[in-house]
Amino acid sequence: MKLCTRASQAGVPIQLVVRGICGLRPGMPGISENIRVTSIVERFLEHSRIYVFGPDEDCRVFLSSADWMPRNFHRRVEVMFPIMAHDLKDRILHEIIPSYLRDNVRARILKPDGTYERLHPTPGEQPWRCQSELLALRPGILPADRVTVVANGDGHGMPQPKPVHST
């Protein structure tokens, strides 16, 4: 958090998309005014751990197995690796990340006082739900109305296709 705050004070724009809790307080003049935090809690609770450092096409893109939390740095074995394939890097930069940043249905913006404000489409703006839009890019993925969650014996739900009945 200290490094993000220092980068913000140096004028570096920082956009974070988190699933839940974030200890940063974005938008504080002189401290974190260049930081924007968006929280998206959606159908798939597991979320991407994508890290992009640097401007535009010169940036470095990484994927990680863990959130940036002390328990993950100090008590677990996690992995973070660079994306070297140009086509994959391009999809991450131009499809995945913009979709999450554009969400105006499930997104909430963290305010300087630590509260979240839900985004809504502005008048004339189309609703954009990132996970639905990303699913639509992949043929063969079942839409939400064709998936049900069943218990797998350990208390966790596993998505299962609903049976299709023909007449």
Side-chain angles (χ1 to χ4, degrees):
M1 289 193 314
K2 290 177 185 176
L3 292 176
C4 286
T5 302
R6 269 194 245 153
S8 174
Q9 291 168 344
V12 175
I14 300 170
Q15 294 186 343
L16 302 173
V17 178
V18 301
R19 187 172 69 99
I21 298 170
C22 181
L24 283 171
R25 292 294 179 257
M28 297 177 68
I31 300 171
S32 60
E33 70 264 13
N34 291 307
I35 299 174
R36 178 180 165 118
V37 177
T38 304
S39 173
I40 300 175
V41 177
E42 236 315 357
R43 172 182 167 196
F44 300 111
L45 293 181
E46 250 334 284
H47 55 285
S48 305
R49 282 130 176 143
I50 302 171
Y51 302 95
V52 179
F53 301 99
D56 305 318
E57 298 304 316
D58 294 330
C59 68
R60 297 184 64 200
V61 178
F62 297 85
L63 299 183
S64 175
S65 64
D67 295 323
W68 282 12
M69 299 180 76
R71 70 172 182 253
N72 295 333
F73 286 127
H74 303 293
R75 296 193 311 257
R76 296 181 179 173
V77 175
E78 302 286 355
V79 65
M80 183 173 177
F81 55 93
I83 300 301
M84 306 303 286
H86 181 71
D87 57 335
L88 182 55
K89 181 179 172 181
D90 189 63
R91 287 197 68 200
I92 290 169
L93 293 174
H94 298 107
E95 288 179 34
I96 297 170
I97 291 176
S99 186
Y100 275 93
L101 295 176
R102 185 176 170 195
D103 192 301
N104 60 14
V105 174
R106 301 294 296 182
R108 297 173 297 138
I109 302 299
L110 181 58
K111 297 173 18 178
D113 66 2
T115 62
Y116 284 92
E117 181 178 319
R118 177 144 247 148
L119 286 181
H120 300 283
T122 58
E125 182 182 29
Q126 291 287 83
W128 186 271
R129 190 172 174 179
C130 64
Q131 285 190 4
S132 295
E133 298 298 331
L134 291 172
L135 279 173
L137 294 174
R138 303 305 307 162
I141 301 294
L142 292 174
D145 63 348
R146 288 277 326 282
V147 175
T148 188
V149 175
V150 296
N152 67 2
D154 65 358
H156 292 84
M158 297 295 292
Q160 300 291 321
K162 291 182 181 177
V164 177
H165 300 286
S166 57
T167 53

